[in-house]
Amino acid sequence: MSRSTRRGALAAATVALALTAAACSSSDDGSSSSPTSSSGSGTTAFQSQHKGGTLKLVAHAAAGTFDPQVNYTLQYWQLYQSMYDGLLAFKKVNGQESFTVVPDLATALPKVTNGGRTYTFTLRKGITFSNGKALTTDDVVASFQRIFKVSSPTAGTFYNGIVGADACLKKPASCTLKGGVTGDAKAGTITINLTAADPEFPYKLAVPHAVVVPKDSPTKDAGTKPLPTTGPYMAASYDPNRALKLVRNPHFEEWSREAEPQGYPDVIDYTFGQTVESEVTAVENGQADWMYDPPPADRLNEIGTKYASQAHVNPLTAFWYATLNVNMAPFDNKLARQAINWAVDRAAVVRLYGGTNLASPACTVLPAGFPGHVDSCDYTKGGGTTWKAADLAKAKALVKQSGTAGQEVGIVVQDDDVNKSIGEYLQSLLTQLGYKAKLKPLSGNIQFTYIQNTKNKVQLALTSWYQDYPAASDFLNVLLSCASFHPGSDSSINISGFCDKGVDAKMQAALKTAETDEKSANQQWGAIDQQIMADSPLVPLINPKLIDFTSTRVGNYRFSKQFYMLVGQLWVK
């Protein structure tokens, strides 16, 4: 998710930090769970003695639009967990249980009939939006229509299986989802009809793009004007150049501790525009309680020794990668794309990210430990199943064979220290290969949308992907299917522009297989991953871990493997 790109990952730290903070880190293995499996509650009662105070968050940049059905960054998805609700939600707990889907605005998990194609929900009574209006079935129906009307980034991948979605994708403004989503106000029920069974649909209903907002919400991106919420917090103000302020939703009453627990801080202040140096200092001095951005390299030893107890390290199901635009020179030539994959020294990128304790080389789209992952590495010197070394000689030979040497290549990165340093390495590497490489750093507030829009003619971009939910399709289908490529749009998550009808057919077959045989489907996804890597529309770089650096004022740190640190559950003195 990303989830900046879902999550501008926090930089890795020193060995000392990784070892010292291990006691604070998540120990779960990252494997998947069924979207509707049941397990222990994993919750604790609200501790009223810790309620109150102002939680202070800092970041170098904002993450663009605050519209939950449009924004696709973990920076805000993380906040939405205490603001917006859908029919279903991921459980707000630590660790592996956070992959479990539970009822949220619905009273229970759906009744699934019609061969897995019909989902029926009963809407909870007595829930009120932060603007004082009661939640109704009309709001739910309108919210699903709005996914298409605002051209949500996942409209064509997560929700295109809803009856009527085809017409909505063709003409978003007139979307009705006729026969697809209906509400019965008297019975208080919502019925969703799919064109085919989709075992991942509960996951898709539990992410922010499927939250419920008032039926009279604008049918275009709300931008900097936050929409009313149902959760414990609402936005009092938002200026992406300065700050975001969240305050308590006066109409919120906890209905499910698993789905939407009451928050602890009275106010959450999120300030933008600081340098990463000043962010670290602010957290150390207790002037800020958490920093979003990668700590600069010259502060890592300091954090890992003097402030190690305040650093929380967690493994992520994510990867950083370079996109290669398959529709523009020089990367419309497969040999040139393969050359970059052979040339990149993943170990160098790991070092730039912060070291082997907090990142490892990546060879495939699917991260290790993730459903469908196969240990395979097409682009490593000497061959093998894991990356060992780059092969610059082979890369140079491929560039020469492709006839693309001497061409100009723009590299678009975010302007924080870690992204820029990796961008500078890629610039140097492409220069060695014979290209005229130019680095283009952009603010994290705009880089993610910029690199998605084909009008900006981005040849190579550094970005990352953090899972929306634990299924292989969330990487391969979302990032590399034809349905995710929308020329001229800021919401074209298939940044490489890769569209292979044969691969698409295999993806659809794998989704179909998953309806009855998840194990076989994952084998299909693994083969698809390897086929895509052979065509090389992107360069997997690293699989990261994450550091949350918090102040001494903070207690009750909880890390959801699904949405990361649970902001609203932090205690502040």
Side-chain angles (χ1 to χ4, degrees), residues 177-232:
L177 290 176
K178 184 178 181 181
V181 182
T182 56
D184 184 329
K186 187 174 181 181
T189 58
I190 302 293
T191 301
I192 302 176
N193 290 307
L194 305 180
T195 56
D198 179 1
E200 296 174 11
F201 196 58
Y203 288 142
K204 297 169 183 176
L205 293 179
V207 298
H209 289 164
V211 299
V212 177
V213 293
K215 62 184 177 182
D216 58 357
S217 298
T219 54
K220 62 180 181 179
D221 184 349
T224 60
K225 297 180 180 179
L227 300 174
T229 66
T230 44

Side-chain angles (χ1 to χ4, degrees), residues 1 3 66 68 73-86 88-93 98 104 206-209 211 230-233 246 252 255-256 258-263 468 560 562-569:
M1 71 190 76
R3 178 214 237 227
F66 206 66
T73 71
L74 188 75
Q75 187 171 355
Y76 287 168
W77 277 32
Q78 192 173 28
L79 298 180
Y80 294 158
Q81 300 314 299
S82 294
M83 300 181 70
Y84 295 99
D85 297 277
L88 303 177
F90 286 94
K91 194 182 289 189
K92 308 297 191 299
V93 292
S98 61
D104 191 357
V207 298
H209 289 164
V211 299
T230 44
Y233 296 100
L246 305 184
F252 176 78
W255 59 81
S256 168
E258 290 186 338
E260 188 62 286
Q262 183 177 348
D468 295 300
S560 157
Q562 176 61 35
F563 293 114
Y564 304 175
M565 184 182 76
L566 297 174
V567 175
Q569 294 306 295

